[in-house]
Amino acid sequence: MSVTYIDAIHQAMDELLKEDEKVFLYGEDIAGVFGGAFKATKGLAEKYPGRVLNAPIAEDAIMGLAIGAAIGGMKPIAEMQFADFGILALNQMCNNAAAHYFRTGVPLNVTLRMPCGGTPGGGPYHSQMVEALFAHFPGVHVFTPATVADAYYMLKQAVQIPDPVVFLEHKFLYRWLKADTWVDPTPLPIGKARIARPGRHATVVAYSAMVPEALKAAEELAAATGYLLEVVDLRTVKPLDMDTVLASVARTGRLLVVSEDYPWCGVAAEVVARVTADGFHLLDAPPLRLSSKESPVPYHPDLWKAHRPHSADIVAAARYLLSL
């Protein structure tokens, strides 16, 4: 029986609640039969009475309560129904939680789970990528798991870090991405990128739901042309493992960074800037970025497909990069 991305997240929360009495869950409609907007917490309120709590529709207040509980020694996992609404909690996370240790010397163990990214018909209020917003602020870790195993292990690791963590779960992956198990005999440490597919002609850096798209593109390009793309899964965008990225570029000489976020001031721009600054001598061609369009996310599924990078777009960008 296969395990889905959201199964792995559910399993991680179940184990965290079982293993540590300081852990509790707090979010909109996460208790009772509803189990959250995407059913990630279904059944946990009954299994752990008093530790899976419904919140008001007030994202700023949800984050504020989680911060207060963490100051008191608890390990809250707060959930936003959609990452778009998590912007309302940006003040609490980045002005209060992120700066707390710097101001007081007291660690703050709080995890913010947010379903991010687009799905067909999601539209502009339920489809955005917000990793760059939260990663901008010192003191915040930003996790972007792209595999079933990482969804499990990285959530368990997030709750053990004595710092604020933004845990971005791509909702397109929730039930689409499957594996035989969430168990990984050698899980990577936090802050370490993964070589998802080795190659030698160009490096494609991706994260979150763009990793499966990049892997599909690499397979299609190899079959059509024989060119081998090396796909690097960042796994976390804060911290950012530039050592792995630079080592890959040293092997291939070319770089394409793929992101579902808007192009302006995004993670893709940061990766390109750092490679240009620290690895310019490694490049045989100018580095490229491929991001979503500079517009709100459209509702219509066909427009959404045109707005967001897909494997065919990655293939086209890689072909251009390899022609330079």
Side-chain angles (χ1 to χ4, degrees):
M1 182 178 177
S2 60
V3 178
T4 66
Y5 185 88
I6 201 167
D7 289 337
I9 291 167
H10 183 279
Q11 179 69 18
M13 289 190 289
D14 191 346
E15 293 180 12
L16 286 162
L17 287 163
K18 181 180 180 180
E19 295 163 359
D20 193 339
E21 292 186 353
K22 293 182 179 180
V23 174
F24 72 95
L25 314 183
Y26 188 56
E28 297 165 8
D29 297 321
I30 67 170
V33 295
F34 198 58
F38 297 94
K39 313 300 182 187
T41 59
K42 191 173 179 62
L44 295 180
E46 294 76 19
K47 194 171 182 179
Y48 303 98
R51 296 173 62 199
V52 181
L53 308 172
N54 283 331
I57 303 175
E59 287 77 13
D60 193 52
I62 292 171
M63 199 65 230
L65 182 142
I67 291 169
I71 290 172
M74 301 297 286
K75 298 178 180 179
I77 303 175
E79 177 185 316
M80 302 292 162
Q81 285 195 342
F82 292 89
D84 313 65
F85 306 150
I87 296 172
L88 296 169
L90 191 69
N91 170 57
Q92 289 283 14
M93 174 57 87
C94 297
N95 282 331
N96 294 329
H100 190 267
Y101 180 78
F102 296 93
R103 291 186 287 109
T104 67
V106 177
L108 194 72
N109 190 320
V110 59
T111 303
L112 175 58
R113 292 182 45 244
M114 295 197 290
C116 67
T119 55
Y125 302 114
H126 301 82
S127 304
Q128 295 179 94
M129 299 291 290
V130 299
E131 64 277 0
L133 289 174
F134 287 89
H136 177 75
F137 291 86
V140 180
H141 301 267
V142 182
F143 294 2
T144 53
T147 68
V148 170
D150 271 351
Y152 168 78
Y153 284 102
M154 291 174 69
L155 183 54
K156 295 203 73 175
Q157 291 166 328
V159 176
Q160 305 309 323
I161 294 174
D163 290 307
V165 176
V166 173
F167 193 85
L168 292 170
E169 310 160 2
H170 200 291
K171 51 187 173 289
F172 186 77
L173 301 180
Y174 270 155
R175 290 174 174 84
W176 174 82
L177 190 64
K178 298 178 182 179
D180 293 334
T181 178
W182 54 71
V183 176
D184 185 340
T186 56
L188 291 172
I190 291 302
K192 181 66 175 176
R194 175 177 68 100
I195 303 298
R197 180 184 174 113
R200 58 190 179 89
H201 294 111
T203 296
V204 178
V205 173
Y207 59 94
S208 193
M210 289 295 102
V211 174
E213 295 289 348
L215 290 170
K216 183 180 178 182
E219 183 177 344
E220 292 172 355
L221 189 67
T225 68
Y227 283 119
L228 302 177
L229 300 178
E230 179 151 295
V231 179
V232 179
D233 173 9
L234 289 178
R235 301 179 66 246
T236 65
V237 300
K238 186 81 169 284
L240 187 60
D241 180 8
M242 287 307 302
D243 289 342
T244 296
V245 173
L246 287 166
S248 178
V249 173
R251 289 189 291 273
T252 68
R254 285 173 165 79
L255 173 67
L256 169 64
V257 188
V258 184
S259 165
E260 191 177 333
D261 194 10
Y262 304 123
W264 191 260
C265 299
V267 172
E270 180 69 20
V271 173
V272 167
R274 292 202 190 188
V275 170
T276 303
D278 300 331
F280 186 79
H281 60 290
L282 305 173
L283 293 167
D284 295 328
L288 299 182
R289 287 184 293 160
L290 179 62
S291 302
S292 289
K293 300 294 189 294
E294 182 77 8
S295 72
V297 183
Y299 282 107
H300 195 284
D302 290 342
L303 293 176
W304 172 74
K305 289 179 182 178
H307 180 272
R308 168 187 185 263
H310 287 79
S311 60
D313 305 303
I314 299 172
V315 168
R319 281 178 177 270
Y320 173 74
L321 179 63
L322 290 163
S323 72
L324 298 176

